[in-house]
Amino acid sequence: MDIYLASGNAHKVQEFNTLLATVDPRISSKVRILSAAEVGGMPKVVEDAGSFLGNARKKAVALAELLPPGGWALSDDSGLSVDALKGAPGVESAYYAGPQGDSAANLRKLMAAMAGVDEAHRGANFSCVLCLATKGREPLFFRGRCDGRIAFQAAGKGGFGYDPVFIPDGFAQSFAELGEEQKNKLSHRAKAWSQLSAWLLRIYG
Ligand code: IMP
């Protein structure tokens, strides 16, 4: 089964390949994760559905249309929802500080918005919806969520996006400090992936 990632984000391609390497060999031996670049690149999709699920659906269906017969498109729509900010940045996570999608500017805007918010009100969660689509079938969805809190200061060099300021429940360090291996055990994307791999196991196991 060839799964093409409906994303232009090289970091996501890397994270999914790392996740695939950790699953049951009955799946990893039959599944290949390929980049959308293999079929000419990810088509432009306006992410205006207003929900992670709606945006994930748009991206996977758009790429599925371009794939060779039997090819599957996998999209990921994810983001950070902060309780004290009424769920913001949410579906706007990538473009919180403006359309250029600058991660450092997004982080600065988040930390400014959270200035003065006390420890007890810094709850947040990362959510991820994966959508698997192929031509002629209704798309499938797999979800994951990771609860935690927003740190008072950014810390750590690993990961991407909001990783330096998100501290998952049960830990004292940010995702960026915990590193990829630990993050891949508890992240929203890892949880959604584990739902997807359970589905793959039912099909190929
Ligand atoms: P998407 O590519 O439209 O799904 O946008 C997701 C955005 O949410 C990214 O650009 C990041 O800003 C943020 N995000 C999603 N997942 C993570 C993560 O695992 N770590 C840090 N930031 C994330």
Side-chain angles (χ1 to χ4, degrees):
M1 180 184 192
D2 283 343
I3 299 180
Y4 295 78
L5 273 195
S7 170
N9 180 338
H11 201 102
K12 283 190 184 170
V13 178
Q14 189 201 319
E15 267 199 20
F16 277 111
N17 269 307
T18 307
L19 288 169
L20 181 64
T22 64
V23 301
D24 192 305
R26 279 174 291 170
I27 302 174
S28 48
S29 61
K30 295 190 184 89
V31 173
R32 281 198 305 170
I33 303 262
L34 301 165
S35 160
E38 307 264 350
V39 288
M42 182 60 199
K44 188 90 199 114
V45 172
V46 183
E47 297 187 36
D48 60 357
S51 66
F52 296 124
L53 188 142
N55 286 340
R57 181 190 188 103
K58 283 186 86 169
K59 290 186 278 192
V61 167
L63 183 63
E65 286 303 315
L66 307 180
L67 297 182
W72 290 78
L74 177 66
S75 68
D76 159 310
D77 203 66
S78 51
L80 177 72
S81 301
V82 180
D83 302 345
L85 305 178
K86 301 192 176 77
V91 289
E92 302 295 330
S93 290
Y95 305 104
Y96 189 40
Q100 68 286 358
D102 176 342
S103 291
N106 289 342
L107 264 187
R108 281 196 300 276
K109 180 169 175 181
L110 177 68
M111 295 319 268
M114 291 299 285
V117 177
D118 65 25
E119 178 81 54
H121 297 95
R122 299 183 76 87
N125 67 80
F126 270 124
S127 289
C128 172
V129 176
L130 298 178
C131 178
L132 194 57
T134 190
K135 267 183 280 202
R137 264 191 78 154
E138 267 305 299
L140 300 159
F141 297 96
F142 308 91
R143 297 161 204 247
R145 172 176 164 149
C146 180
D147 290 300
R149 64 188 188 280
I150 302 301
F152 284 99
Q153 275 180 350
K157 298 251 175 274
F160 70 104
Y162 299 95
D163 279 347
V165 299
F166 183 80
I167 302 176
D169 280 351
F171 292 83
Q173 291 176 301
S174 72
F175 262 169
E177 291 176 290
L178 289 170
E180 191 174 34
E181 201 184 327
Q182 185 64 262
K183 181 181 172 187
N184 279 339
K185 288 190 187 138
L186 41 117
S187 80
H188 48 312
R189 197 165 295 104
K191 287 175 184 162
W193 171 264
S194 109
Q195 306 283 320
L196 168 57
S197 54
W199 180 82
L200 288 169
L201 201 55
R202 283 202 297 280
I203 305 286
Y204 290 110

